Amino acid sequence: MNEELKHKFYISTDKSKLDTQIIHDFLQTSYWAENIPLATVEKSIQNSLCFGIYEDNQQVGFARVITDYATSALLKDVFILEPYRGQGLGKWFVEYILEYPELQDVQRWLLGTKDAHGLYRRYGFKNLTEPEKIMMRLNSNVDQS
């Protein structure tokens, strides 16, 4: 990303700056969180390390990390709003998150993506080498839509 753009945008982990309406509006139409309730988005923000990317005070992107800061981290809900794509913001955002000082001791990072494998591979993400060792459990008491 060129220096001019870096001066135009900034990244913050200050949750008070986050625009939960923008985050919810984007996520509820995404393939991975379609129709997610606002209350669920708010709870996920409260319990994650969150990153916002801003132009002035306008939020243009979001990501969060679920982590113990030592053994594992799950990168979730990464997005740049459509009008701001194609400028290198996504690459800069992912680099910033992966280089974030408090996350440097994390041994294993995970993420899920349907269409951004190329982006994440450049930062060392790979397909699972032993997917049979990874399991998941869906809570039947919670709407999975």
Side-chain angles (χ1 to χ4, degrees), residues 48-70:
S48 300
L49 172 60
C50 297
F51 296 83
I53 188 165
Y54 304 87
E55 180 181 35
D56 299 317
N57 289 321
Q58 176 66 39
Q59 186 171 350
V60 302
F62 175 76
R64 64 189 182 92
V65 177
I66 304 167
T67 186
D68 61 9
Y69 296 92

Side-chain angles (χ1 to χ4, degrees), residues 22-95:
I22 286 176
I23 297 166
H24 179 249
D25 288 349
F26 184 91
L27 291 178
Q28 72 176 347
T29 61
S30 69
Y31 70 81
W32 68 89
E34 189 174 10
N35 299 318
I36 190 168
L38 177 59
T40 301
V41 171
E42 291 171 339
K43 189 173 185 178
S44 72
I45 288 170
Q46 290 170 3
N47 294 294
S48 300
L49 172 60
C50 297
F51 296 83
I53 188 165
Y54 304 87
E55 180 181 35
D56 299 317
N57 289 321
Q58 176 66 39
Q59 186 171 350
V60 302
F62 175 76
R64 64 189 182 92
V65 177
I66 304 167
T67 186
D68 61 9
Y69 296 92
T71 64
S72 57
L74 176 61
L75 182 57
K76 298 276 297 176
D77 299 336
V78 181
F79 70 84
I80 302 294
L81 295 176
E82 185 70 41
Y84 298 92
R85 294 181 189 166
Q87 303 180 60
L89 289 176
K91 294 173 193 156
W92 179 48
F93 201 28
V94 171
E95 286 172 13

Side-chain angles (χ1 to χ4, degrees), residues 11-14 49-52 65 67 69 92-106 109:
I11 298 170
S12 175
T13 58
D14 182 350
L49 172 60
C50 297
F51 296 83
V65 177
T67 186
Y69 296 92
W92 179 48
F93 201 28
V94 171
E95 286 172 13
Y96 183 94
I97 293 165
L98 295 175
E99 293 172 4
Y100 193 69
E102 293 177 40
L103 299 173
Q104 294 313 294
D105 293 333
V106 172
W109 284 81

